[in-house]
Amino acid sequence: MDKIYINDLEFIGNHGVFPEEKILGQKFLISVILETSTREAGVSGDLTSSTHYGYVADDIEKVFFSKSFDLIESLAEEIAKAILNNYSLISAVIVKVCKPWAPIKKHFSSVAVEIKRRRNIVYLSLGTNIGNLEKNLNNALKEIAALATTRILKVSDFVITKPFGFIEQDDFLNGCVKVETLLTPKELLKEILEIEKRMGRIRKERWGPRVIDIDILFFNDEIIQDDELAIPHPWISQRDFVLTPLMQIAPNLVHPLEKETITLLKYFLDNKES
């Protein structure tokens, strides 16, 4: 990935946790690295195919003076969010906030924080078998689209499927959605659980009827296994109600554990069942 550098933008601001830092101005140096493709702009010479670093610098200045931040970590987060929200060609950004006059009773050059944030591509599975099924899925999509720093990129058709696990229940309506978000996996999980709660989901039994079920299938190509979250979601390769709609919007997506595309996983499942 190509990179655009903006080094050591210098501002005087009132950021810090101590009262005197809120009153007396301090110097801050801010640097960013913008990860993007410069190929098209480099070949064509067309500025609209690149990111105008002058505009980026202006936006950094706006964030810097928008309020007094207690922590430079918070300032760095807001700068990263502004850049990723405002410049669609930037896939990831590294932000470094340097504080040369930090209140430390030692000889030092500076203190700094550096963060990297990126656009995350996530695939979600949606399912319902209680009430107005199509309305439930559309309401869930609206809730997902309303999440901060999140937008929907693709939505599959809705498909009627047989229940999985506990089969003595009504058929499901399922779909998959591709989203782009700046949220972390744990932050996204928390938001999803809140959506399910607002929509009236009650967790009584595993694989039982539900008004809405939203699962994180893939989060970039990350592999996460802990007490709260498993990514990729378990049993994807065994669930036709996931693979059928997912193949519509991501046929060539490679499962990071299975090392096979969604199309091939669907083919293997169909032939196994036959």
Side-chain angles (χ1 to χ4, degrees), residues 91-158:
S91 60
V93 60
I94 298 173
V95 179
K96 182 177 181 180
V97 178
C98 183
K99 195 172 182 180
W101 302 346
I104 301 175
K105 295 180 180 179
K106 299 286 188 296
H107 291 291
F108 69 102
S109 172
S110 65
V111 296
V113 61
E114 180 177 292
I115 66 171
K116 181 174 183 178
R117 300 294 179 261
R118 62 175 295 183
R119 301 181 190 279
N120 301 302
I121 300 299
V122 184
Y123 291 88
L124 305 174
S125 173
L126 286 68
T128 176
N129 74 334
I130 296 177
N132 187 324
L133 305 190
E134 187 170 350
K135 182 179 179 181
N136 290 344
L137 294 190
N138 283 322
N139 286 342
L141 289 173
K142 290 178 182 177
E143 292 272 4
I144 293 167
L147 293 177
T149 67
T150 300
R151 66 188 182 105
I152 291 177
L153 301 179
K154 289 183 180 179
V155 181
S156 74
D157 294 336
F158 298 155

Side-chain angles (χ1 to χ4, degrees), residues 196-208:
E196 292 181 336
K197 183 178 179 181
R198 286 196 298 271
M199 291 186 63
R201 173 155 186 194
I202 300 173
R203 296 176 181 272
K204 288 184 178 180
E205 56 185 321
R206 189 181 189 189
W207 295 325

Side-chain angles (χ1 to χ4, degrees), residues 12 37 61 87 117 123 139 212 214 217 222 224 273:
I12 300 296
S37 174
E61 183 176 29
Y87 301 94
R117 300 294 179 261
Y123 291 88
N139 286 342
I212 192 65
I214 306 173
L217 301 176
E222 296 182 27
I224 302 172
E273 292 178 346

Side-chain angles (χ1 to χ4, degrees), residues 1 10 36 60 68-69 111 120 124 143 161 164 179 186 199 201 210 221 247 251 274:
M1 185 62 67
E10 185 173 328
T36 184
I60 293 171
S68 175
F69 293 91
V111 296
N120 301 302
L124 305 174
E143 292 272 4
T161 64
F164 179 88
V179 304
K186 295 292 180 66
M199 291 186 63
R201 173 155 186 194
R210 72 283 310 273
D221 57 356
M247 192 171 69
S274 63

